[in-house]
Amino acid sequence: MKSYLAAAIQMTSVPNLEKNLAQAEELIDLAARRGAELVGLPENFSFLGEESDKIAQAETIAKASVAFVKTMAQRYQVTILGGGFPVPVNGKQVYNTALLVDASGTELARYHKVHLFDVNLPDGNTYEESSTVQAGTQLPPVYASQDLGNLGLSVCYDVRFPELYRHLSLNGADLLFVPAAFTAYTGKDHWQVLLQARAIENTCYVLAPAQTGRHYGLRHSHGHAAIIDPWGTVLSDAGTKIGVAIAEINPQRLEQVRSQMPSLKHRVFA
């Protein structure tokens, strides 16, 4: 593993595939020009709209999303995480899928989100992800990259379930992806502290691409795409505007923190 720059992209995706992919390419281009070698796109990067529209267009969205991530990775010579897009299971449900692709356009890892967001919030929004999404049945993978370190996958609501990240850290993760479309209502109180907790308890970097702003109707995301180091320090925060958070991933810092705070070695219960 070497030192390198990573980028967490922040978007305002809407119910329009073409507009979203155009926005994503602009931000990937920006990240690559600033020297990023690892780029994360947020959950729902290619489509964020009504559930019925997502299901109706799922096959088109899935094909376009995979092709886009592979093309961008090759074009800009970066490793990219497509942080979440629908992949059809049947005519009524999809998997919420994260896809990791290297600079040659080769698929490295794929994960179907296992924790589904079914919540009624006081701000008037009701989320029932399970109505259209089928939960994955496999724990997320850790991809071992010689240059970029061991990369652990997750998606959004997973961040509230620390046992998933313990699985990733015990399988050698150096960096945890948390691509999200975190709600504005919960994000203001929980987003950063959850990301910092996952970084600290697992002594890992966290790369958290995010959605921001208003997408359609009442749907409004928190923003604050971030990169956090293993001590819990926020290295970069994109705020609430469309943009990119960029920071260095440094193996010496990782080793330093793990040496100073070897908590994973002190675990008593498996």
Side-chain angles (χ1 to χ4, degrees):
M1 181 182 176
K2 63 177 184 178
S3 292
Y4 63 92
L5 292 180
I9 284 178
Q10 182 154 287
M11 300 177 61
T12 302
S13 296
V14 295
N16 185 306
L17 176 64
E18 290 74 21
K19 285 185 178 180
N20 296 332
L21 296 185
Q23 180 184 135
E25 181 170 4
E26 288 182 6
L27 294 168
I28 294 168
D29 177 77
L30 174 62
R33 284 190 284 108
R34 291 178 60 183
E37 296 181 53
L38 179 66
V39 177
L41 292 165
E43 184 183 31
N44 302 323
F45 72 91
S46 54
F47 187 88
L48 211 171
E50 297 287 355
E51 294 299 296
S52 58
D53 294 334
K54 179 180 73 177
I55 293 299
Q57 302 176 50
E59 187 170 349
T60 298
I61 296 168
K63 289 181 179 178
S65 299
V66 172
F68 174 80
V69 172
K70 291 183 175 182
T71 298
M72 293 299 102
Q74 288 179 306
R75 180 174 299 169
Y76 293 100
Q77 287 297 288
V78 294
T79 296
I80 298 180
L81 179 81
F85 58 92
V87 172
V89 178
N90 50 52
K92 296 181 179 180
Q93 286 190 306
V94 298
Y95 285 126
N96 187 342
T97 302
L99 178 69
L100 185 66
V101 172
D102 70 12
S104 70
T106 300
E107 179 175 331
L108 302 176
R110 183 180 290 234
Y111 165 62
H112 301 314
K113 183 180 179 184
V114 298
H115 297 107
L116 303 183
F117 192 56
D118 291 353
V119 178
N120 296 316
L121 294 178
D123 66 354
N125 276 300
T126 296
Y127 300 88
E128 193 176 355
E129 190 174 18
S130 65
S131 66
T132 59
V133 176
Q134 182 168 310
T137 58
Q138 301 293 321
L139 284 164
V142 174
Y143 178 76
S145 168
Q146 183 174 353
D147 290 333
L148 305 179
N150 298 331
L151 310 175
L153 276 60
S154 71
V155 177
C156 199
Y157 191 46
D158 285 337
V159 77
R160 294 184 181 274
F161 301 88
E163 62 274 16
L164 183 144
Y165 297 90
R166 188 62 93 210
H167 156 78
L168 293 174
S169 66
L170 292 178
N171 279 275
D174 301 312
L175 181 146
L176 307 170
F177 283 112
V178 190
F182 225 75
T183 70
Y185 185 86
T186 58
K188 66 185 184 336
D189 298 319
H190 295 166
W191 171 244
Q192 183 173 309
V193 71
L194 283 168
L195 296 178
Q196 289 176 298
R198 299 297 85 85
I200 292 167
E201 69 196 5
N202 295 294
T203 54
C204 287
Y205 280 93
V206 167
L207 191 152
Q211 293 284 350
T212 191
R214 193 168 299 280
H215 308 284
Y216 66 93
L218 295 176
R219 185 69 183 269
H220 189 202
S221 291
H222 174 64
H224 294 279
I227 300 176
I228 297 171
D229 86 352
W231 191 253
T233 302
V234 179
L235 302 178
S236 185
D237 183 328
T240 58
K241 296 182 179 179
I242 293 169
V244 181
I246 292 184
E248 182 184 41
I249 308 301
N250 187 328
Q252 292 181 335
R253 176 60 172 163
L254 194 65
E255 183 179 349
Q256 177 191 38
V257 171
R258 290 176 173 179
S259 175
Q260 291 174 342
M261 185 58 67
S263 55
L264 290 178
K265 294 180 180 179
H266 298 157
R267 294 174 65 247
V268 176
F269 301 108

